[in-house]
Amino acid sequence: SKSTFDTMLRYRLLPPEPDPDIVILDIDEASLSAMAKDYGRWPWPRQVLGELVEQIEKQQPKAIVFDILFSDPDVYNPDSDAYFDDVIRRSDNTWFPMLRLPQESDAQSQIKPSMLPGARPIPGQAREDKTLAIILPHFKAALDGGRMGTHNIYTQDDSVARRYIVQRNEYGWLVPSLPARLAQALGQPLPAGEDMLINWRGAPFTYHTLSFSDVYFDFLNQQRKRPADEFTGKIIIIGSTAPSLFDIKATPMAPLFPGVEILATAIDNLKNRDYLKEQPLWVTALLSILLIWGSAAAFYQRKADSRF
């Protein structure tokens, strides 16, 4: 059952360690408060994010992944938007999410699956007449760069997220997720199916996480206190764990699990190819029978001990 599966994951003796090369820059409540004086309430002018990307790029990270949907222009700060767009254009390793909307809205869209970066036709199934309701990044540089993928988190009928869509069949086209696009860029093959069973690393706040404002304000200082190679070779995910920004889901590990950490876990699973694999029912039944008979034989021969 789902509850048994969740319990097994929560109480594993040796849960896998989070990938040390994945770092979350967290727009947490402390950052929202610290930045408010100079930049107002969230969302901040995009120049803030552009300045951060520029500084991180100097340290040669492996990737900078936004878990922020840039769906609209900032009409009050057009120069700030232009600055951010220019920063993206000069980068070759910034990644952006797309948001898949409910299928009921597909007929109102003008975006076809064939237009999406990384989308692959399934021979004999791909349809050219269908459109998808999907929100793309507003910035032209992000669209031109094509480093995009969906970041939808789907829950099961009990509202718990256990799986992550790797690549979704959309009218005969496989539309990849953001973790899938990044994994492919890192040279990793994708699972055969559309989704994967997430191999959780632990409770929330398991990944190496830095407060956005701490990093940003240190970059502004002439005498910096943070290491000059802090982000070298790292995958930097910029997102939020702040409850006020409502990016929270229920998972087997906790009823309140930040969406940015779910994204980090999906990237980790695909990067290291250690997502959970489901065995056929007959394999599970056979292992259960062997365990029962092995236990019985051990007790019968008086060899049952704590190691067994």
Side-chain angles (χ1 to χ4, degrees):
S1 69
K2 293 185 179 71
S3 60
T4 303
F5 172 79
D6 294 350
T7 301
M8 289 170 58
L9 284 181
R10 273 196 302 272
Y11 297 106
R12 284 186 291 182
L13 295 177
L14 296 172
E17 294 291 329
D19 191 317
D21 287 340
I22 295 177
V23 178
I24 295 175
L25 279 190
D26 185 9
I27 302 171
D28 53 6
E29 293 291 354
S31 293
L32 295 175
S33 176
M35 304 281 287
K37 179 180 178 181
D38 296 317
Y39 304 104
R41 299 176 60 185
W42 178 264
W44 306 315
R46 272 72 180 263
Q47 182 171 346
V48 171
L49 299 172
E51 290 170 345
L52 184 80
V53 169
E54 277 189 313
Q55 295 300 324
I56 293 176
E57 288 278 30
K58 293 177 181 179
Q59 298 186 22
Q60 298 183 328
K62 189 170 293 182
I64 301 173
V65 183
F66 281 98
D67 190 29
I68 301 170
L69 188 65
F70 297 101
S71 56
D72 299 293
D74 184 346
V75 295
Y76 298 106
N77 295 284
D79 291 341
S80 176
D81 272 14
Y83 177 84
F84 185 54
D85 190 71
D86 183 60
V87 170
I88 298 169
R89 192 172 303 282
R90 289 185 278 109
S91 169
D92 62 359
N93 65 348
T94 48
W95 297 81
F96 297 88
M98 310 182 295
L99 180 66
R100 176 66 164 108
L101 299 176
Q103 194 172 21
E104 294 76 21
S105 303
D106 283 356
Q108 303 173 35
S109 175
Q110 297 180 346
I111 300 172
K112 295 184 177 181
S114 58
M115 299 176 180
L116 301 176
R120 295 182 293 110
I122 302 174
Q125 298 184 33
R127 297 183 58 176
E128 297 285 355
D129 60 327
K130 290 294 185 178
T131 56
L132 293 183
I134 193 166
I135 297 178
L136 303 176
H138 158 71
F139 292 97
K140 187 176 185 300
L143 297 173
D144 292 343
R147 295 180 296 274
M148 301 181 294
T150 60
H151 73 154
N152 295 66
I153 299 171
Y154 295 98
T155 59
Q156 296 185 276
D157 53 11
D158 59 354
S159 300
V160 177
R162 297 181 181 88
R163 296 178 174 275
Y164 200 93
I165 298 294
V166 178
Q167 46 189 353
R168 181 165 169 162
N169 187 339
E170 301 283 8
Y171 303 114
W173 291 80
L174 289 177
V175 177
S177 64
L178 185 56
R181 294 296 314 282
L182 182 57
Q184 289 175 315
L186 297 175
Q188 294 292 356
L190 301 180
E194 288 188 30
D195 64 3
M196 65 179 179
L197 198 56
I198 300 174
N199 189 3
W200 302 97
R201 281 10 186 179
F205 307 103
T206 299
Y207 283 91
H208 182 44
T209 301
L210 304 172
S211 183
F212 183 100
S213 58
D214 289 348
V215 174
Y216 179 76
F217 286 129
D218 189 73
F219 279 142
L220 297 183
N221 289 333
Q222 290 186 345
Q223 294 183 341
R224 296 177 181 173
K225 298 179 180 179
R226 307 188 70 88
D229 60 349
E230 185 173 17
F231 302 115
T232 302
K234 306 293 185 182
I235 297 174
I236 314 302
I237 305 175
I238 302 175
S240 176
T241 66
S244 60
L245 298 185
F246 308 110
D247 188 17
I248 303 291
K249 298 288 185 183
T251 74
M253 310 309 295
L256 299 175
F257 203 102
V260 66
E261 281 209 275
I262 298 177
L263 176 65
T265 308
I267 291 173
D268 194 344
N269 281 193
L270 291 176
K271 177 178 180 286
N272 294 291
R273 301 192 67 194
D274 65 350
Y275 40 86
L276 298 177
K277 300 175 179 65
E278 298 172 271
Q279 298 296 335
L281 184 59
W282 69 267
V283 173
T284 305
L286 179 60
L287 290 175
S288 299
I289 292 171
L290 291 175
L291 179 60
I292 293 170
W293 281 101
S295 301
F299 277 105
Y300 180 76
Q301 298 178 19
R302 299 183 179 181
K303 292 182 179 179
D305 57 22
S306 58
R307 287 174 298 174
F308 181 81

